[in-house]
Amino acid sequence: LSLPLCLRSPLSGLRPPQRVCRSPTMTDYTSHAPFAKKACDFLSLSPDPYHAVANITAKLDAGGYKQLRKREPFGGNVEPGGKYYFTVNRTTIVAFAVGGKYKSGNGFKIIGGHTDSPNLKVKPRSKRSASGCIQLGVECYGGGLWHTWFDRDLGISGRVLVRSKGEAGKEKIVQRFVKIDRPVARVSTLCIHLQTAEERKSFAVNKEEHLSPILGTQTMLEEGAKAQLEGTTSEGGDDKEDEWLKGHEPLLLETIASELGIKVKDIADFELNMFDTQPAVLGGIKNEFLYSARLDNLATCFVSIESLVAHTDSDLFAEDEDISLVALFDHEEVGSESAQGAGSPVIVDAIRRITTALSDHPHGLDPDQYSCAVRKSFILSVDMAHAVHPNYAAKHEKNHGPKLNAGFVIKTNQNQRYGTNAIGGFIMREITRKADLIPVQEFVVRNDCGCGTTIGPIISSSTGIRTVDAGMPQLSMHSCREVMGIADLTHCFEMFKSFFEYFREIDDALEG
């Protein structure tokens, strides 16, 4: 079986996007389309962090990367010229490659991003009904534009814990991923005739009362539940009741079980979320845009892994003196404070364990070597950036308004909502100069507007590594359906590859 398009090596079956030279205008987007279609494939196959990380690991496996187990020592398993990755909770992934000329104490070239996006997550007791309809109890995750979730055809995806038989007949709990692509739920808008003029004007959403998706009509689903209880379904009855299962709609459980080829009674627990079943597509009058859910921040995840694999497949990797690393974290949308978020020890542990495994010190990690490695390292924290909306152009500071399809964006905030300073900004601009890429764009929020934040300041403060915050411009951030320019995928790919190629040269020229 051939891998899906999004999982193939960029040098196998599909040429990587061609290097983009400086150009004041770009009106022909056909050269960017193949890479953008590959991104569409990845986005459609990744409705949640579990599937995103699974698709990334498949890509890395195909590219010759070796999986490391966090419970086992890295020492003896990591060496110059090697390519590796490990996951945390199956929603966070760290992939890295040790340059062929790496020496103990050399630095890390890190690209950081996140795998999560705002969505509706299924509650631990999700059974809910009203007015003859069976609904699903959901919790709002992150800061979504929740009005955009109305009247969308929703599927269900996520992780399911399944009871199975292990060695000697002992029970074993395994993790399975489910993705129900068909529209099984919908959050319907109240018709205009039943709304007051004030309600129509504000469209205020009560997140508890108004966002429960409808699964079906009560009579139909109750008959299905009764059939299960009487043992007339294909499952053939249940030999022991599970109190947790009683909190969920029986036909929802049966649908999940059918997708996974298991029995309902074997479902031990799950973490599920809703997703828009409409796939990612190219759009615009010249197909210059990409319309999709979860561009923030799966577009970054896609490009970062593509660029890492392209770098390690090139001749430059054998001459590389540093470690090239991509870290993609869960839970950025809710503050990053979790065991697998950017605020966790994941990145610090990774740097320490990798440095120790490669140390030439007779007693393992030399604290002085570790400090040298940190000082020689740099983090490119990449999250999507706010493009100027033509209908709301006044919302942007007039000299700092990124445009779609116009290049990579550096994000700056002097109140440290972003981690960029003069050194980081210079390094990124110098990379574009040396690689002959189009100039970067700049984003600074207006003084009378609040500023979002991302993982940059969090990782920088926990590691002590210099950081710049940047990203690709997009519209409709945190909507159920977002939009970006396809040329910016290419711009970002070239920027990431050039970061791996030119960072050491530029950093060595900087006064310490």
Side-chain angles (χ1 to χ4, degrees):
L1 293 176
S2 62
L3 286 169
L5 184 59
C6 72
L7 306 183
R8 297 177 192 165
S9 166
L11 301 182
S12 175
L14 178 67
R15 296 175 61 193
Q18 298 301 302
R19 172 154 293 183
V20 180
C21 297
R22 297 173 182 269
S23 174
T25 59
M26 294 193 68
T27 57
D28 183 4
Y29 296 94
T30 56
S31 64
H32 303 286
F35 193 57
K37 289 177 181 178
K38 193 176 182 184
C40 287
D41 198 2
F42 173 78
L43 291 160
S44 298
L45 288 169
S46 305
D48 54 64
Y50 300 106
H51 284 86
V53 170
N55 289 326
I56 288 169
T57 59
K59 169 79 178 181
L60 294 171
D61 289 338
Y65 283 68
K66 175 184 176 182
Q67 183 173 9
L68 301 173
R69 306 293 178 183
K70 284 205 71 184
R71 295 186 179 186
E72 300 173 1
F74 285 5
N77 292 310
V78 177
E79 61 185 7
K83 303 179 293 186
Y84 312 93
Y85 72 88
F86 65 86
T87 66
V88 183
N89 190 50
R90 303 193 183 186
T91 57
T92 289
I93 185 165
V94 176
F96 65 96
V98 185
K101 292 190 175 180
Y102 174 86
K103 293 181 180 179
S104 186
N106 281 6
F108 288 75
K109 299 174 292 190
I110 300 172
I111 296 175
H114 66 90
T115 60
D116 62 321
S117 303
N119 65 70
L120 302 176
K121 290 187 176 288
V122 177
K123 291 181 176 180
R125 297 182 67 84
S126 66
K127 185 187 291 185
R128 184 169 180 167
S129 63
S131 305
C133 291
I134 294 293
Q135 296 176 279
L136 191 62
V138 294
E139 181 178 2
C140 295
Y141 175 86
L145 291 173
W146 302 119
H147 65 275
T148 66
W149 285 76
F150 283 76
D151 300 325
R152 305 299 303 184
D153 299 335
L154 303 177
I156 299 175
S157 71
R159 171 168 66 178
V160 182
L161 302 185
V162 178
R163 303 181 191 276
S164 65
K165 296 296 182 181
E167 295 180 2
K170 292 184 178 180
E171 184 178 76
K172 183 178 181 181
I173 305 298
V174 297
Q175 300 183 43
R176 301 278 302 277
F177 298 157
V178 66
K179 181 172 180 279
I180 302 172
D181 280 311
R182 62 189 179 89
V184 295
R186 187 179 176 94
V187 182
S188 292
T189 307
L190 180 65
C191 69
I192 192 171
H193 312 87
L194 299 182
Q195 297 183 50
T196 65
E198 187 61 31
E199 286 173 331
R200 292 196 296 271
K201 181 179 179 180
S202 64
F203 193 39
V205 178
N206 182 307
K207 294 187 288 186
E208 181 63 28
E209 299 295 330
H210 299 158
L211 282 173
S212 295
I214 298 172
L215 292 175
T217 52
Q218 203 159 8
T219 303
M220 292 291 293
L221 294 183
E222 283 179 345
E223 288 177 357
K226 182 179 179 181
Q228 284 196 51
L229 292 173
E230 293 175 350
T232 59
T233 66
S234 59
E235 191 169 316
D238 209 348
D239 48 22
K240 189 174 182 180
E241 287 188 327
D242 187 324
E243 287 297 321
W244 177 82
L245 289 174
K246 293 180 181 179
H248 300 285
E249 172 55 45
L251 285 187
L252 169 65
L253 297 171
E254 185 178 346
T255 301
I256 294 169
S258 176
E259 287 285 327
L260 296 177
I262 60 174
K263 296 180 178 180
V264 168
K265 65 184 179 65
D266 293 329
I267 301 175
D269 205 336
F270 53 55
E271 292 175 282
L272 303 176
N273 62 240
M274 316 303 294
F275 70 94
D276 183 6
T277 57
Q278 184 177 359
V281 296
L282 302 190
I285 198 68
K286 294 183 179 179
N287 277 341
E288 66 263 45
F289 300 129
L290 194 163
Y291 303 146
S292 176
R294 303 174 299 280
L295 290 176
D296 175 20
N297 191 33
L298 291 188
T300 296
C301 297
F302 168 75
V303 180
S304 63
I305 294 298
E306 289 288 324
S307 63
L308 179 64
V309 172
H311 174 66
T312 55
D313 280 348
S314 73
D315 294 337
L316 295 170
F317 181 52
E319 302 299 315
D320 200 337
E321 300 176 0
D322 295 309
I323 295 168
S324 301
L325 185 148
V326 171
L328 306 172
F329 300 93
D330 196 2
H331 293 153
E332 186 274 347
E333 298 292 357
V334 292
S336 297
E337 297 296 326
S338 70
Q340 56 269 17
S344 72
V346 168
I347 190 64
V348 175
D349 282 353
I351 294 170
R352 188 176 299 277
R353 293 185 69 178
I354 295 167
T355 303
T356 302
L358 293 166
S359 176
D360 57 8
H361 194 272
H363 302 296
L365 179 65
D366 180 350
D368 199 35
Q369 277 188 339
Y370 177 78
S371 295
C372 288
V374 168
R375 296 297 174 264
K376 293 178 181 177
S377 299
F378 191 83
I379 298 171
L380 178 50
S381 165
V382 187
D383 206 345
M384 300 299 282
H386 299 294
V388 175
H389 194 307
N391 297 341
Y392 303 91
K395 291 292 185 180
H396 273 71
E397 204 279 336
K398 62 181 180 180
N399 292 321
H400 299 85
K403 296 178 175 59
L404 297 174
N405 283 321
F408 202 61
V409 180
I410 295 176
K411 301 187 284 187
T412 304
N413 181 267
Q414 299 302 333
N415 295 296
Q416 296 304 297
R417 301 292 285 172
Y418 300 131
T420 306
N421 63 11
I423 297 295
F426 163 75
I427 288 174
M428 300 315 297
R429 296 183 198 96
E430 190 69 0
I431 288 172
T432 64
R433 187 184 71 83
K434 284 187 173 292
D436 196 28
L437 306 180
I438 69 169
V440 296
Q441 303 188 85
E442 304 278 353
F443 174 76
V444 175
V445 76
R446 288 170 56 103
N447 285 317
D448 56 1
C449 182
C451 183
T453 190
T454 185
I455 64 172
I458 296 171
I459 299 179
S460 183
S461 61
S462 66
T463 63
I465 297 175
R466 298 163 295 168
T467 301
V468 66
D469 271 298
M472 293 175 280
Q474 73 160 96
L475 296 176
S476 304
M477 188 178 290
H478 288 196
S479 172
C480 188
R481 195 84 177 162
E482 301 171 327
V483 58
M484 68 175 295
I486 67 169
D488 290 323
L489 289 166
T490 308
H491 299 320
C492 187
F493 177 82
E494 292 295 346
M495 175 63 85
F496 287 175
K497 281 204 313 173
S498 300
F499 170 62
F500 291 138
E501 179 178 353
Y502 291 107
F503 168 74
R504 175 53 49 217
E505 175 188 342
I506 295 169
D507 194 47
D508 286 346
L510 273 171
E511 185 177 10

